[in-house]
Amino acid sequence: MSPTRTRIIVDRLKVFARHGVLPQEEAVGSYFYVTVEAEVSDCEASLTDSLSDTLSYADIARTITEEMATRSQLLEHVAGRIAQRLLAEHPSVLSLLVKVIKENPPLGVQCQGAGVELTFVR
């Protein structure tokens, strides 16, 4: 028996990028942590041990890296682009969580990070 649904996770992929509203954010850049959780149906990989029977987390990581390279002012826009591309390229994805956290954002207070989390359901 195979699971009815499987969650493929890329957790806190660290990427340097230049997202932000302020000119300084574009000039200096920052580190971002991106998490993607993709729920897929009919994942036979638990039985077959075949990469072709699942969604490769290497593909997810590649999409994250490529989309993070395109500058945006808002993290909502970045997360939305990542999600839309993953949903378009992988029809087996039933739901998707994309979380983008900016390390040490320019808030005028000390914090580890600030960001957004978007959830999509097909």
Side-chain angles (χ1 to χ4, degrees), residues 1-6 40-49 53:
M1 173 183 259
S2 64
T4 57
R5 292 193 177 156
T6 301
V40 297
S41 66
D42 302 324
C43 182
E44 295 294 319
S46 64
L47 299 174
T48 65
D49 196 28
D53 288 333

Side-chain angles (χ1 to χ4, degrees), residues 56-118:
S56 168
Y57 49 79
D59 290 343
I60 295 172
R62 185 173 24 263
T63 298
I64 292 168
T65 303
E66 290 171 1
E67 290 301 325
M68 289 295 290
T70 300
R71 188 182 186 295
S72 289
Q73 290 187 47
L74 302 178
L75 297 184
E76 291 88 342
H77 188 249
V78 178
R81 283 199 333 265
I82 292 168
Q84 294 305 322
R85 185 163 158 203
L86 289 170
L87 289 167
E89 293 177 1
H90 305 284
S92 65
V93 175
L94 300 173
S95 67
L96 190 66
L97 177 140
V98 179
K99 182 176 180 180
V100 181
I101 301 294
K102 184 173 195 168
E103 184 179 75
N104 196 23
L107 299 176
V109 295
Q110 183 75 21
C111 76
Q112 288 185 332
V116 300
E117 181 177 292
L118 305 179

Side-chain angles (χ1 to χ4, degrees), residues 13-69:
L13 179 74
K14 187 175 184 178
V15 181
F16 182 83
R18 299 180 184 277
H19 306 300
V21 175
L22 302 175
Q24 175 189 354
E25 293 173 293
E26 181 178 9
V28 175
S30 184
Y31 282 102
F32 295 81
Y33 296 91
V34 182
T35 297
V36 168
E37 295 183 14
E39 185 177 345
V40 297
S41 66
D42 302 324
C43 182
E44 295 294 319
S46 64
L47 299 174
T48 65
D49 196 28
S50 175
L51 183 58
S52 64
D53 288 333
T54 191
L55 170 58
S56 168
Y57 49 79
D59 290 343
I60 295 172
R62 185 173 24 263
T63 298
I64 292 168
T65 303
E66 290 171 1
E67 290 301 325
M68 289 295 290

